[in-house]
Amino acid sequence: MTDDTLETLQDKLLAEVAAAADAEALEGARIALLGRQGRITDLMKGLSKVAPDERRARGQALNLLKDAVADAIAARKQVFDEGALDARLAEERVDVTLPARPGADGCIHPISQAIDEMVAIFCEMGFEVAEGPHI
């Protein structure tokens, strides 16, 4: 491939990324372009068949292509994420004029609960609880 075909390929791939209508379509485009069986990955795998003197220049050009496509995908993904966040924020409005939710009043301390249970058990057995000054 010459530089002209790489440039036209880059333009074509960037157009595919820009044409993604939503995040799912963008993810599909990312997989189709940069995934294991992606078009750019196939071009990178084909570097082994290129002559050694051309391999370096071709590899650099393919890396630039890959970086450009990855940057375009990241930018497009950020646009979709911001749009989703804006939609979510518009949907989930907080009404600060509503009264506060009632909080939990708390619960009995575990030691106090154990003492109450022991007093109940001993009272059922006939004992009485006497409270008074400590000796």
Side-chain angles (χ1 to χ4, degrees):
M1 269 187 187
T2 64
D3 288 337
D4 293 335
T5 55
L6 281 178
E7 288 178 10
T8 57
L9 178 65
Q10 180 176 346
D11 293 340
K12 184 178 175 184
L13 297 179
L14 292 178
E16 285 182 33
V17 170
D22 57 2
E24 292 177 13
L26 182 65
E27 181 64 16
R30 184 192 69 79
I31 292 170
L33 300 176
L34 299 174
R36 283 182 147 177
Q37 303 297 323
R39 293 181 7 202
I40 295 176
T41 308
D42 287 342
L43 291 174
M44 297 288 257
K45 289 177 184 176
L47 280 177
S48 62
K49 299 174 186 170
V50 178
D53 54 338
E54 296 176 15
R55 189 176 301 153
R56 181 179 184 138
R58 170 116 175 173
Q60 288 176 350
L62 287 176
N63 279 331
L64 290 175
L65 171 68
K66 181 180 176 182
D67 291 342
V69 171
D71 291 343
I73 289 173
R76 188 79 169 146
K77 182 175 181 345
Q78 185 176 5
V79 168
F80 286 137
D81 290 345
E82 289 173 359
L85 179 63
D86 290 342
R88 183 174 170 209
L89 289 175
E91 183 180 301
E92 297 176 1
R93 296 273 180 190
V94 176
D95 188 3
V96 294
T97 61
L98 291 174
R101 294 182 182 150
D105 292 335
C107 57
I108 300 173
H109 193 275
I111 294 175
S112 299
Q113 185 178 4
I115 291 172
D116 291 342
E117 289 175 6
M118 288 191 296
V119 166
I121 291 170
F122 280 108
C123 286
E124 287 178 7
M125 294 171 40
F127 291 93
E128 292 182 9
V129 177
E131 294 185 12
H134 297 284
I135 299 177

